[in-house]
Amino acid sequence: MPDEYDAIRKRLTRYERGLYFELGRARERGETRDNGWVPQFEIKTSEGTRILDSARTDGRGTEGVERKSGRVNERDTYFQLFKERAALESGQLTRSRWETVVGEKIPDKVRRQLEGLARDFPGRFHHEVVSRADALRAIQLGRSLASKQLELIRPYELDRADRARKRLDKIRETVRVRDTAIERDSPTRETAQRQTRELAESADHALTIERADAAAREQREAAEQTRARKAAEAAARRQQQEAAQRVAEAARKDREAARNGNNPPMTGREAADILIVNRPTPGLPPPLREPPSPRRSARGRDARERDRGVERER
């Protein structure tokens, strides 16, 4: 029966479900950048590239975490666990933890893989099943964190800029009053001019500070946008790599089926994977293609030669 966890996931896209669950669980477990954790960490194994949801260095190896907020896809997860076993055997992965949610379907084949890894690598591989209440709390927390990350200007920075503007307005008003006093009382002109110059210098200093704050904010915004773009590109590349692996595996099975006299139809998933593989790779410029040069066919040349022969006979 659908519960509150199902309801909140239904209102989110597939990307948002995984992102918010990952952000919330990582924050609850202290897996932050300050503690050495980075998202979408890539390691090269003997069986191919493995991209971990979150990881940090652990001695000469890596400690990694993989989280599944919903139903576990059998084909994708098979390749992930296959590479993970190779990384554990080589020592590239010193420890690994997989998190799934109570009630979300795990195919029997994947479940046996998880149990086999936990049995073969005791103390290094752990499968943790998260309660639906904890998973709901993680998604709510992750959504809040994602929203706050979009607020790039911190409150104290806004307050500081507001104070600088108020100081500048006050200095400008003082200068205006001094200018009026100069016009009204000429004997004090020299003193007033000196004070005016000092106030103008203070105003210029305040304006310089304000501009420096604005420039710093722009740099932070640009850096955050770059990080967000790179994270999105890494996720898209990961999706494309996994789609390519699925396409290759499907092609191998089709060849085996053809040798046995079968011709299985293409599934919707395989068609979608082919479209994903054929997309431009995120982060790389699209290949340049020169327009085709006009060519003349042999048939056209023969026809033109016959026409010229007829003309000569005439």
Side-chain angles (χ1 to χ4, degrees), residues 255-305:
R255 289 194 298 270
E256 292 179 356
R259 285 196 295 268
N260 295 330
N262 298 324
N263 187 20
M266 178 182 292
T267 65
R269 179 57 183 273
E270 291 173 353
D273 284 341
I274 292 173
L275 292 176
I276 292 173
V277 170
N278 289 329
R279 287 190 313 210
T281 302
L284 296 178
L288 298 176
R289 295 179 179 174
E290 296 293 337
S293 59
R295 297 181 179 177
R296 297 181 177 180
S297 66
R299 181 180 299 176
R301 286 196 300 271
D302 294 342
R304 285 189 293 274
E305 291 294 334

Side-chain angles (χ1 to χ4, degrees), residues 81-189:
L81 289 171
F82 186 65
K83 296 173 184 177
E84 195 131 325
R85 175 177 285 275
L88 287 165
E89 289 175 346
S90 67
Q92 291 173 284
L93 266 181
T94 55
R95 286 182 293 178
S96 177
R97 185 177 74 256
W98 277 57
E99 295 182 3
T100 59
V101 178
V102 172
E104 298 299 324
K105 183 179 179 181
I106 302 178
D108 292 338
K109 184 177 181 180
V110 172
R111 190 181 298 278
R112 288 193 297 270
Q113 280 183 294
L114 292 169
E115 292 172 351
L117 286 168
R119 180 187 63 250
D120 297 340
F121 302 96
R124 295 178 59 198
F125 183 89
H126 176 61
H127 174 212
E128 179 177 347
V129 182
V130 181
S131 70
R132 297 181 75 81
D134 289 345
L136 173 63
R137 186 179 65 250
I139 285 184
Q140 292 171 335
L141 175 59
R143 182 164 58 180
S144 175
L145 292 172
S147 176
K148 289 179 180 179
Q149 287 177 0
L150 297 177
E151 300 171 1
L152 301 176
I153 303 176
R154 298 179 180 179
Y156 79 87
E157 293 174 333
L158 289 173
D159 183 60
R160 182 179 177 183
D162 185 58
R163 290 198 305 269
R165 283 192 295 269
K166 288 180 179 178
R167 286 197 305 271
L168 186 59
D169 290 341
K170 185 177 180 180
I171 291 171
R172 286 171 176 166
E173 177 63 20
T174 304
V175 171
R176 187 188 65 79
V177 171
R178 293 298 184 187
D179 289 342
T180 303
I182 290 173
E183 294 176 357
R184 187 178 62 249
D185 190 4
S186 57
T188 61
R189 182 182 300 273

Side-chain angles (χ1 to χ4, degrees), residues 230-242:
K230 288 184 177 179
E233 289 176 353
R237 285 196 297 270
R238 175 186 179 184
Q239 183 187 32
Q240 195 174 52
Q241 291 169 355
E242 293 175 350

